[in-house]
Amino acid sequence: MNKNPLDMTMAEARSELKRLAKVIAAANSSYHTADAPEISDAEYDRLRRLNSEIEAAFPDLKRADSPSDNVGAEVAEAFSKVKHDVRMLSLGNAFEDTEVDDFVGRVRSYLGHVGPLAFTAEPKIDGLSLSLRYENGELVQAATRGDGETGENVTHSARTISNIPHHLDNAPDLLEVRGEVYMRHDDFAALNERQIEKGEKTFANPRNAAAGSLRQLDANITRSRPLAFFAYAWGALSEPLATTQLAAVNRLRSLGFQTNDLTKLCASAQELITHYKSIEEQRSTLGYDIDGVVYKVDDLELQRRLGFRSTTPRWAIAHKFPAELAWTRLRGIDIQVGRTGALSPVARLDPVTVGGVVVSNATLHNEDYIQGRGNKGEEIRDGKDFRVGDWVQVYRAGDVIPKLADVNLAERPDDAAPYEFPTICPECQSPAIRDDGDAVRRCSGGLICPAQAIEKLKHFVSRGCFDIDGLGNKQVEAFFGDPELPVKEPADIFTLQVRDADNGLKRLKNRDGWGDKSTQKLFAAIDEKRNIPLNRLIFSLGIRHVGEAAANLLARHFSSYDKFIIAMDEATDRDSNAYQDLIAIDGVGEVFANSLVTAFSATSERASIDRLTQHLNIQDVVQADTGNSAVAGKIVVFTGTLEQMSRAEAKAQAEAAGAKVSGSVSKKTDILVAGPGAGSKATKAAALGITVIDEAAWLALIAEE
Ligand code: IVH
């Protein structure tokens, strides 16, 4: 049949590439237009592989319409959602050397590890993460990180990146390679020059340029943008790559990926910091942007044991480079009202470049900060306050919102007056109150405050919450003020379609920015989210102190909305069992519990929640893969010293097996795991007739299927 590409002449290769381009394009279009594709999937894959092999042997002959760059099917799928088999996580940050010591200390104490412990240290590339999926050695899909669980399909773009292999030899059958797409400084400068020549917009920095180039529908444009890829991690795998981080990355390199040469194995916090300093010194000569150094536990078995906290691994951390600074003029102070009513002062500045990014707004935190006082009332900046007209220093660390750090009093205009923090809400004129011990002044208007209502809605539709396609901040703002089809609270989103159909006035599809298709799509996206997991619902309500991790905790604890809401009603009485139960959940404190219970007992807020839940089908929490576990659903308390593992690891392991870990013994406790030195909890458990076991028995129990 086909000749081995390595035995082909130039002429043969050229004509074979031409034939393949045609056959594969025909197969792509028949795949799309007809129900029955003309060739089998296996044959299709073989043709594509042959095409890649010839291109590898004769790189100069690669055609402009090469099938390896883009496929009809892929472009049609461009930006469609891709659910990651293995979540794509972010990293916790460290800024100070002491935080690196803390990280190493935390790893050791979690593992109860005293012997030698190795870490890798490597540059943190300032680009965008990408996951490349290879099946049987062929690149089949590329996806962005998105919210970590679901990203966007960018296969068509990824194929144009020259150092991403389309084909791998001797790779696991299934291999997801993860890494960073970035743009080199020289390529970035040249791209901006070309953009200027063409009269098109320039990019602010290499990272934005890389992002804009990857999210391109037209693969020809992406190809003209000089992107590159560093591999540093992996997702789903059919077999392990190696037993250590370093060996796994080396394996990726031998498969043909670019990996970072500055990766080094270190044996202590001190060695990590030394390598960090060395990378920092080389930073300006690397030719690409980095914003820190990433440390990872080298042993992959230890990585597995360490596992994750809600969105970040326990086994890795990013040690960021120090913030960048610049001086400029403070032109004004505006107050923004957030979703929980917090009044946040924002500095309006003469635009200034800080570390390559133009900054014209910065946070001023709260009224004490403006006056030169810290959170505990202590003096900061030698007590100097900020005044409109001041010459101020802007500070920016990585992605963190820029803040005002300092002021030069010698440059203060004579007429600059101390700033008076408002005591009424600038949005709804309700009193803005500062509770004892709270650094923040809050609008007391609740849902009558339009700013709070709108911010709550924005939170509600955001990623991690209801995440409704086609309903972002812009649309929320437009609907909020819409006289005919207003959306003032979450429930209104779910009545939009019915109200639109009833509406004798102008239909949504006939409005500016909307059409038949986009309206249908919006209604479909809303309908899709009528089914919502309990944890997402709780997080979406935007209750103060109830973040994503807390919502997960509550959902796991109560498992169904019915049980949750009954508990909330009962817990209004602080002496009730329900309230005691709530604060006994490991990880729930009084502040959190009070905020939660208050939200559910405040009549207008509660009514708004009840109006919303009528439209929803709230899914119970399914305990993942723990159905068979002997401890699934059981409430467990640990006390005394554990000898095999730390308390933190024991807790994570118990939760992974479907148990709930509580901090105190009550009638509801199922098992007390008591190590040496157990005291009052063991006595109480015995009195209540609760099963008390030792650590060995516990380990045997969770090992049972
Ligand atoms: S490891 C489970 N290594 O930083 C952790 N990430 O702030 C997987 N990044 O989303 C990430 N360089 O996009 C890792 N050498 C490196 C990195 C790196 C850049 C990015 C990555 C991640 C983000 C977290």
Side-chain angles (χ1 to χ4, degrees):
M1 255 179 48
N2 297 99
K3 208 167 170 179
N4 180 339
L6 297 175
D7 298 333
M8 287 180 182
T9 64
M10 284 273 265
E12 281 171 337
R14 185 178 288 115
S15 101
E16 187 63 358
L17 285 176
K18 184 172 173 191
R19 181 185 77 85
L20 287 168
K22 211 170 134 192
V23 183
I24 294 172
N28 284 337
S29 79
S30 73
Y31 183 83
H32 263 290
T33 49
D35 282 343
E38 282 160 14
I39 58 174
S40 70
D41 284 358
E43 174 65 1
Y44 178 80
D45 287 343
R46 193 186 66 80
L47 293 176
R48 292 187 56 105
R49 190 154 43 228
L50 178 62
N51 184 73
S52 306
E53 285 168 10
I54 303 175
E55 284 177 350
F58 298 91
D60 294 344
L61 295 184
K62 184 167 170 186
R63 298 169 59 88
D65 63 351
S66 164
S68 43
D69 285 342
N70 114 31
V71 206
E74 282 170 0
V75 171
E77 282 170 0
F79 310 140
S80 60
K81 296 213 159 154
V82 172
K83 175 121 179 50
H84 299 299
D85 280 356
V86 175
R87 259 197 318 156
M88 287 182 84
L89 297 146
S90 54
L91 293 169
N93 290 328
F95 289 96
E96 306 294 332
D97 291 359
T98 51
E99 295 173 84
V100 179
D101 284 331
D102 294 347
F103 165 68
V104 171
R106 272 200 308 275
V107 168
R108 283 193 176 282
S109 90
Y110 187 94
L111 295 170
H113 191 98
V114 283
L117 194 60
F119 295 85
T120 58
E122 68 198 56
K124 181 169 189 303
I125 317 296
D126 195 5
L128 303 83
S129 43
L130 185 70
S131 184
L132 302 167
R133 188 176 172 99
Y134 292 85
E135 288 174 8
N136 302 315
E138 295 301 320
L139 175 61
V140 294
Q141 189 173 66
T144 61
R145 186 171 88 135
D147 65 1
E149 282 181 23
T150 311
E152 279 181 338
N153 189 328
V154 290
T155 316
H156 62 294
S157 302
R159 282 191 196 283
T160 70
I161 300 177
S162 59
N163 71 347
I164 291 184
H166 292 188
H167 172 80
L168 306 177
D169 287 318
N170 303 321
D173 294 347
L174 171 63
L175 168 61
E176 278 180 10
V177 178
R178 292 181 174 173
E180 204 85 352
V181 175
Y182 68 100
M183 196 179 280
R184 295 185 51 87
H185 292 155
D186 45 0
D187 288 331
F188 167 71
L191 169 64
N192 264 353
E193 271 178 30
R194 289 202 303 277
Q195 293 291 100
I196 293 169
E197 277 165 23
K198 288 193 287 185
E200 288 177 13
K201 79 169 178 87
T202 56
F203 296 98
N205 55 49
R207 187 176 187 283
N208 286 1
S213 304
L214 194 67
R215 291 198 78 264
Q216 264 293 334
L217 210 46
D218 184 347
N220 286 318
I221 296 186
T222 316
R223 190 175 312 111
S224 74
R225 305 271 176 85
L227 297 174
F229 178 79
F230 268 123
Y232 53 66
W234 52 91
L237 289 173
S238 53
E239 59 191 85
L241 286 172
T243 58
T244 65
Q245 175 75 29
L246 194 64
V249 171
N250 284 339
R251 174 91 196 278
L252 294 178
R253 175 161 47 212
S254 68
L255 286 169
F257 292 93
Q258 183 186 21
T259 59
N260 202 295
D261 289 339
L262 293 171
T263 308
K264 187 171 185 267
L265 206 57
C266 299
S268 65
Q270 199 43 55
E271 275 186 48
L272 291 172
I273 292 166
T274 306
H275 191 51
Y276 167 92
K277 298 217 161 103
S278 143
I279 292 178
E280 192 178 19
E281 274 169 21
Q282 301 172 64
R283 185 178 183 188
S284 60
T285 62
L286 293 177
Y288 52 87
D289 278 348
I290 63 173
D291 56 353
V293 177
V294 182
Y295 307 141
K296 301 174 184 169
V297 169
D298 190 43
D299 184 325
L300 298 183
E301 169 57 15
L302 296 183
Q303 283 191 8
R304 187 196 63 74
R305 277 180 56 197
L306 285 156
F308 307 93
R309 306 207 60 204
S310 64
T311 57
T312 57
R314 287 194 190 86
W315 45 265
I317 197 162
H319 188 180
K320 294 293 206 65
F321 290 134
E324 318 219 26
L325 302 167
W327 287 88
T328 187
R329 190 69 64 189
L330 175 59
R331 289 295 172 198
I333 297 177
D334 287 345
I335 298 288
Q336 285 178 351
V337 181
R339 116 179 107 79
T340 58
L343 266 51
S344 305
V346 179
R348 305 296 180 199
L349 306 166
D350 276 349
V352 59
T353 306
V354 194
V357 172
V358 178
V359 171
S360 43
N361 304 310
T363 175
L364 282 159
H365 301 294
N366 54 47
E367 59 186 303
D368 287 352
Y369 189 78
I370 297 177
Q371 287 169 2
R373 282 196 311 273
N375 281 344
K376 298 187 186 74
E378 78 281 13
E379 224 174 51
I380 52 173
R381 301 186 301 274
D382 301 326
K384 291 179 286 186
D385 66 339
F386 289 120
R387 301 185 183 185
V388 174
D390 269 342
W391 186 242
V392 292
Q393 187 188 49
V394 188
Y395 163 110
R396 182 178 155 266
D399 297 338
V400 183
I401 305 170
K403 67 175 189 181
L404 285 203
D406 203 0
V407 47
N408 182 347
L409 294 185
E411 299 271 338
R412 173 167 285 174
D414 293 337
D415 59 353
Y419 178 72
E420 278 187 39
F421 204 90
T423 49
I424 57 161
C425 171
E427 302 285 342
C428 72
Q429 276 67 51
S430 303
I433 294 162
R434 198 173 155 182
D435 287 337
D436 262 1
D438 194 352
V440 175
R441 192 172 282 280
R442 286 171 207 279
C443 161
S444 58
L447 291 176
I448 68 145
C449 176
Q452 286 192 48
I454 228 174
E455 292 306 316
K456 269 197 186 263
L457 278 166
K458 286 182 185 170
H459 169 75
F460 185 84
V461 299
S462 68
R463 267 185 185 177
C465 295
F466 272 64
D467 195 11
I468 298 173
D469 267 356
L471 197 58
N473 288 354
K474 221 175 77 196
Q475 291 79 7
V476 163
E477 276 173 17
F479 277 123
F480 190 81
D482 191 310
E484 294 175 21
L485 213 51
V487 173
K488 301 278 187 203
E489 61 171 35
D492 296 341
I493 295 171
F494 295 93
T495 58
L496 251 188
Q497 184 168 12
V498 174
R499 288 185 291 142
D500 184 49
D502 260 2
N503 183 347
L505 305 165
K506 198 167 178 183
R507 299 282 300 267
L508 184 57
K509 64 180 181 186
N510 299 327
R511 301 187 188 199
D512 266 3
W514 293 98
D516 227 349
K517 245 189 163 162
S518 55
T519 312
Q520 286 312 319
K521 263 180 117 166
L522 174 67
F523 293 153
I526 292 173
D527 279 344
E528 197 188 312
K529 297 294 159 72
R530 287 180 199 268
N531 285 314
I532 196 86
L534 179 59
N535 54 330
R536 276 204 183 219
L537 172 74
I538 298 176
F539 178 46
S540 304
L541 297 176
I543 298 165
R544 200 172 145 209
H545 301 299
V546 184
E548 199 165 5
N552 291 343
L553 198 69
L554 291 170
R556 262 208 313 270
H557 184 84
F558 290 104
S559 74
S560 79
Y561 185 70
D562 288 348
K563 288 188 195 148
F564 173 66
I565 203 78
I566 289 172
M568 289 302 110
D569 286 339
E570 290 179 8
T572 318
D573 171 7
R574 301 295 196 264
D575 294 325
S576 63
N577 285 340
Y579 187 77
Q580 295 309 320
D581 217 33
L582 186 63
I583 56 174
I585 303 175
D586 209 25
V588 171
E590 293 246 15
V591 173
F592 171 101
N594 279 329
S595 168
L596 188 68
V597 173
T598 309
F600 279 87
S601 56
T603 43
S604 65
E605 196 160 348
R606 174 57 182 276
S608 165
I609 296 172
D610 289 346
R611 281 192 292 273
L612 166 68
T613 53
Q614 283 175 28
H615 300 285
L616 304 176
N617 168 26
I618 303 160
Q619 295 157 356
D620 293 357
V621 173
V622 226
Q623 305 284 2
D625 297 335
T626 52
N628 300 329
S629 149
V631 300
K634 296 265 167 28
I635 297 179
V636 182
V637 176
F638 292 98
T639 187
T641 315
L642 299 182
E643 286 164 334
Q644 306 283 326
M645 64 180 85
S646 66
R647 186 69 70 85
E649 185 173 3
K651 176 173 178 237
Q653 201 184 45
E655 285 173 352
K660 293 169 194 165
V661 179
S662 174
S664 59
V665 172
S666 76
K667 279 189 304 215
K668 295 204 172 165
T669 309
D670 293 301
I671 303 169
L672 180 78
V673 183
S680 63
K681 285 185 191 171
T683 324
K684 182 167 177 195
L688 289 169
I690 290 162
T691 313
V692 180
I693 58 177
D694 66 7
E695 187 181 4
W698 163 254
L699 289 174
L701 194 61
I702 57 168
E704 274 176 27
E705 276 295 297

